[in-house]
Amino acid sequence: MTFDTKQLLADSLAAIAACEFSAALEDQRITLLGKKGKVTEALKTLGSVGPEERKTLGAALNEIKKDITAAIDAKKADLTRNELNARLAHEKMDVTLPARDIPRGRIHPVTKVTEEITEIFARMGFSVAEGPDIEDDTHNFTALNIPESHPARQMHDTFYLHGNGDGKTLLRTHTSPVQIRTMSAGRPPFRVIAPGSTYRCDSDITHTPMFHQVEGFVIDKGIHMGHLKGCISEFLKTFFELDDVPVRFRPSFFPFTEPSAEVDIGCKRSHEAIEIGAPSLSSSPQAGGTEEGWLEVMGCGMVHPNVLKNCNLDPEEWQGFAFGVGIERLAMLKYGIPDLRTFFENDVRWLEYYGFMP
Ligand code: PHE
């Protein structure tokens, strides 16, 4: 048998050289070296020739297989380089173009201030508890020493969920029900804060139907009003980063604390901003639309013995204090936000201005 290895090599090299694209070259590789390729088929014929010829033909075929492989590799490198160059020439990138704007969200002041408050109390050893926004009458009122028909129920402007006024389910009007939930579920001593949303059917410049509070309470032995004042004053100083926050404890009434107080912070407010500052004695409206006065930021007091009893705690053994802070109020004072209602208008421009970088 005669087999023209030279011709096969020449044809193959010509075919390889003629390939213009990597895909065509790959086809060619299969045609030549693939399972049924020309060279492979030629190698298969070795079995049917005499030993002498097998030797020379075998050597020659292996030689051309090597040459073809080398030619394909070289051509492949060539084509890849050319193809890359063509792409680079075609796909231009202008590195001087300004970067695309990535929209960035802001942290809402309510979220930010809640985190700040939580952190300060956590450092004082308080742990965090939560309760449901949808409450029952018992936790929101009765257990907090506000019996049915008590006038304090009217004070709360409650959103009832079933019926009107006679239903048992409501949107909690304060975070105080978390006191009841926590005290009934565990054993004292307690040192707990509970941030969350609260709801009252009330809307004007200083009230929105939904707002946020942080409840705080400490139940232990021998707790007195001095602990309450110390804890709250220390908190306010740390929160406002000021040594002399003008704070006023004003006697007040809550059915679940006795004695009770409201905490006010001295401030100056105009329609552009609100800032902390001790009001002068006359606290009358100033020139330029600025008003001096006190802003109520929290209610507090010593936990009423009836509340302790309702949670199966003996008031002779355990005492405590509690407070409920208005988060928006604190945010307004710390960050100079003049109008409470803007917190919930969902105006992105407002959030860009008053919000915080994540
Ligand atoms: N729950 C009261 C309110 O919302 C605040 C408060 C909490 C007062 C705890 C005293 C003790 O107005």
Side-chain angles (χ1 to χ4, degrees):
M1 155 167 188
T2 53
F3 191 89
D4 195 344
T5 50
K6 283 211 179 84
Q7 190 59 46
L8 176 59
L9 180 60
D11 289 351
S12 304
L13 294 181
I16 290 166
C19 290
E20 284 181 53
F21 304 103
S22 322
L25 181 65
E26 177 59 12
D27 286 348
Q28 208 41 250
R29 189 189 64 75
I30 294 166
T31 314
L32 298 171
L33 304 177
K35 257 199 193 130
K36 293 204 168 120
K38 285 183 191 159
V39 179
T40 321
E41 291 295 338
L43 280 164
K44 279 186 199 156
T45 62
L46 284 178
S48 56
V49 298
E52 266 316 301
E53 199 186 347
R54 185 182 306 160
K55 219 172 166 186
T56 44
L57 184 58
L61 282 175
N62 276 325
E63 202 52 43
I64 72 165
K65 188 176 175 185
K66 240 199 266 164
D67 291 348
I68 290 172
T69 310
I72 290 176
D73 288 349
K75 185 73 181 174
K76 191 171 179 177
D78 235 31
L79 288 176
T80 312
R81 196 174 334 105
N82 290 347
E83 280 161 3
L84 179 64
N85 285 338
R87 258 181 58 201
L88 288 176
H90 177 67
E91 296 171 9
K92 281 210 190 82
M93 186 169 73
D94 183 351
V95 291
T96 65
L97 280 178
R100 213 170 289 158
D101 197 22
I102 303 169
R104 248 212 242 193
R106 297 287 161 111
I107 308 274
H108 195 283
V110 167
T111 308
K112 168 84 171 156
V113 166
T114 308
E115 281 166 10
E116 290 177 4
I117 299 174
T118 310
E119 202 182 306
I120 296 171
F121 281 109
R123 270 186 268 146
M124 292 189 197
F126 284 69
S127 54
V128 180
E130 270 182 325
D133 288 17
I134 297 175
E135 258 304 354
D136 53 55
D137 199 86
T138 313
H139 287 91
N140 197 80
F141 293 126
T142 321
L144 285 162
N145 200 32
I146 316 177
E148 231 161 289
S149 80
H150 192 287
R153 289 211 184 191
Q154 266 77 62
M155 267 164 50
H156 277 240
D157 305 304
T158 313
F159 284 114
Y160 285 95
L161 294 178
H162 300 300
N164 197 5
D166 55 296
K168 291 279 172 232
T169 318
L170 46 85
L171 293 177
R172 67 175 175 191
T173 57
H174 50 181
T175 40
S176 300
V178 187
Q179 287 186 37
I180 304 299
R181 290 187 177 274
T182 311
M183 286 196 268
S184 316
R187 293 298 304 161
F190 296 107
R191 202 180 276 210
V192 173
I193 54 163
S197 314
T198 47
Y199 308 83
R200 287 182 204 177
C201 190
D202 197 355
S203 185
D204 61 35
I205 184 162
T206 52
H207 298 91
T208 48
M210 191 273 306
F211 58 104
H212 299 83
Q213 287 187 334
V214 174
E215 190 80 9
F217 60 98
V218 170
I219 306 287
D220 208 327
K221 290 182 176 164
I223 299 290
H224 54 72
M225 196 80 183
H227 294 122
L228 161 66
K229 283 190 79 174
C231 176
I232 288 176
S233 307
E234 203 49 43
F235 160 70
L236 291 172
K237 265 197 253 171
T238 314
F239 177 76
F240 288 114
E241 298 161 29
L242 288 175
D243 274 335
D244 51 353
V245 189
V247 184
R248 178 168 90 168
F249 285 81
R250 183 167 38 84
S252 186
F253 171 78
F254 298 103
F256 34 93
T257 47
E258 183 57 39
S260 306
E262 254 151 337
V263 182
D264 301 337
I265 292 193
C267 59
K268 297 183 175 59
R269 66 193 300 169
S270 64
H271 51 273
E272 281 120 37
I274 178 164
E275 72 182 85
I276 296 178
S280 50
L281 284 175
S282 59
S283 89
S284 56
Q286 306 281 297
T290 309
E291 246 182 274
E292 287 188 343
W294 297 94
L295 187 70
E296 180 196 318
V297 293
M298 65 170 101
C300 60
M302 303 305 296
V303 177
H304 197 290
N306 288 351
V307 174
L308 295 168
K309 280 186 215 152
N310 290 340
C311 300
N312 290 322
L313 297 178
D314 178 2
E316 295 299 325
E317 190 180 0
W318 302 103
Q319 302 76 42
F321 64 81
F323 53 86
V325 193
I327 297 182
E328 288 81 1
R329 301 283 179 92
L330 287 192
M332 287 168 76
L333 282 165
K334 183 161 180 178
Y335 297 110
I337 309 172
D339 189 343
L340 171 68
R341 291 169 298 189
T342 55
F343 276 76
F344 309 111
E345 279 169 359
N346 289 333
D347 187 332
V348 195
R349 294 164 304 174
W350 183 89
L351 200 54
E352 258 162 36
Y353 187 80
Y354 288 114
F356 296 84
M357 288 304 240

